[in-house]
DNA sequence: CACTTTAAGTCAGCCATGTTGACATTCCAA
DNA sequence: TTGGAATGTCAACATGGCTGACTTAAAGTG
């Protein structure tokens, strides 16, 4: 492990010899890329006085309309107090609607309002635009590889949420 | 842009048709993967009472020993006040050494001490281990694609730092 | 030499977002 | 009917961003 080399096989793939240096470059690539990844939404959010936490909530509510708070907590991996603070401002500002559950009245089902949908779309389009450019520059096969590595990097329970995410369209 | 499809060519690659849904999955993959990416170091840092900001400083000082504060500010993209707070504790705790420049005595050159090197190694190994597993699971070609997409996702000035990073070993 | 600029550090204060812990309310389900 | 789950809320605190103002020392420049 400490000798700077590692080999392995999987599914008939050729042996992979990875130096610590190659791994480090991957780590740094993640660091710098994630900054680029969040830069555009951050600029938009600033205009409205929101932060990344608001973006995440808007994204996943938009993604799974009618989701309840507990489910959102699992996806976002924060405490309910943290999420609640964000959710409260979004509801107060009329971006998110919280509807009491029909079957289970303890649950609140979350939906984006018209303005919430609009902001989510603005944020999402900015982020998709960057992703689109990166995908085009990198090419078709690179995209598949990108996704495979990212999935393998997730914690298993996180990956479960990821795969449970609406798979329509793919 | 809003019709959910986008095509493009680059360097003789086949046309890429990307639905908004595919782009969204990429966005979510980044979100979940980055969480996995930081999870192991975060657990280690907690033991020592440090945060992610300390990790980043340790990483890049270890990466470019003798770097000065200004350079580090550019890499990390934070204010000097933010960096200074982190750096001060690392110096007080004896993990980082700050040496006055020889040619330019205004500059401070930063080095990891023995204990600093040890902690950096512990953090780095944890992160490399996850990267190694992900790389092996995804396979050789996936790794190349992963790196290509990440590079294309960076802001240009960030990419410059990334490429200027010591390229030894690759 | 005098002046300006640069590198670094510091202080004070603000904000966003994470955490714990304690507690109230509602209400399903055994 | 009672226990526990889901939700919401309050208080308090930590981390790590930020701005603005200011100092010190050294380097560069007319």
């Amino acid at each position: 492990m400490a000798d700077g080399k590692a080999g392995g096989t999987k599914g008939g793939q050729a042996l992979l010899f990875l130096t610590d240096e190659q791994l480090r470059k991957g780590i740094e690539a993640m660091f710098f890329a994630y900054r680029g990844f969040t830069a555009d939404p951050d600029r938009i959010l600033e205009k409205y006085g929101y932060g990344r936490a608001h973006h995440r909530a808007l994204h996943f509510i938009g993604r799974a309309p009618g989701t309840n708070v507990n489910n959102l907590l699992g996806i976002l991996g924060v405490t309910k107090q943290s999420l609640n603070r964000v959710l409260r401002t979004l509801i107060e500002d009329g971006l998110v609607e919280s509807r009491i559950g029909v079957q289970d009245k303890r649950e609140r089902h979350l939906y984006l309002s018209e303005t919430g949908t609009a902001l989510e779309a603005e944020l999402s389009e900015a982020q998709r635009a960057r992703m689109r450019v990166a995908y085009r520059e990198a090419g078709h096969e690179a995209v598949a590889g990108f996704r495979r590595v990212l999935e393998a990097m997730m914690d298993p329970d996180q990956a479960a949420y990821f795969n449970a995410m609406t798979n329509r369209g793919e």
Side-chain angles (χ1 to χ4, degrees), chain A residues 10-28:
Chain A
K10 164 91 193 233
Q13 295 275 356
L15 276 167
L16 270 189
F17 290 107
L18 302 163
T19 62
D20 280 1
E21 181 55 28
Q22 287 170 319
L23 295 167
R24 272 180 187 270
K25 284 292 273 188
I27 289 167
E28 284 164 7

Side-chain angles (χ1 to χ4, degrees), chain A residues 41 44-45 48-67 72 75-76 83 86-87 89-91 93-97 110-124 127 165:
Chain A
I44 294 167
L45 289 159
Y48 297 93
Y50 294 125
R52 253 179 232 183
H54 300 86
H55 182 193
R56 291 196 282 266
L58 287 174
H59 175 97
F60 287 108
I61 294 171
R63 191 72 157 143
T67 188
L72 209 49
I75 292 171
L76 297 176
L83 175 57
V86 165
L87 231 35
T89 71
L90 290 174
I91 292 167
D93 296 354
L95 301 189
V96 168
E97 285 173 31
L110 304 169
Y111 299 86
L112 297 185
S113 72
E114 210 166 308
T115 52
T117 302
L119 177 54
E120 198 283 325
E122 186 181 355
L123 293 164
S124 181
Q127 208 155 32
M165 259 4 270

Side-chain angles (χ1 to χ4, degrees), chain A residues 30-149:
Chain A
M30 274 297 281
F31 171 71
F32 287 116
Y34 198 78
R35 289 255 298 267
F37 172 70
T38 54
D40 303 322
D42 282 354
R43 272 187 287 271
I44 294 167
L45 289 159
E46 216 193 345
K47 292 192 303 179
Y48 297 93
Y50 294 125
R52 253 179 232 183
H54 300 86
H55 182 193
R56 291 196 282 266
L58 287 174
H59 175 97
F60 287 108
I61 294 171
R63 191 72 157 143
T67 188
N68 62 32
V69 174
N70 234 17
N71 183 41
L72 209 49
L73 285 175
I75 292 171
L76 297 176
V78 298
T79 58
K80 73 179 167 174
Q81 293 89 333
S82 259
L83 175 57
N84 199 258
R85 175 168 38 201
V86 165
L87 231 35
R88 203 186 326 161
T89 71
L90 290 174
I91 292 167
E92 280 170 7
D93 296 354
L95 301 189
V96 168
E97 285 173 31
S98 169
R99 302 184 200 152
I100 293 174
V102 179
Q103 271 130 30
D104 186 335
K105 291 178 186 164
R106 291 167 303 179
E107 292 182 350
R108 305 299 144 95
H109 298 279
L110 304 169
Y111 299 86
L112 297 185
S113 72
E114 210 166 308
T115 52
T117 302
L119 177 54
E120 198 283 325
E122 186 181 355
L123 293 164
S124 181
E125 177 46 34
Q127 208 155 32
R128 273 181 284 126
R130 183 181 292 251
M131 193 66 81
R132 199 180 289 125
V133 169
Y135 274 11
R136 284 195 211 165
E137 281 182 25
H140 180 262
E141 301 201 2
V143 170
F146 168 74
R147 281 277 299 275
R148 263 215 297 284
V149 174

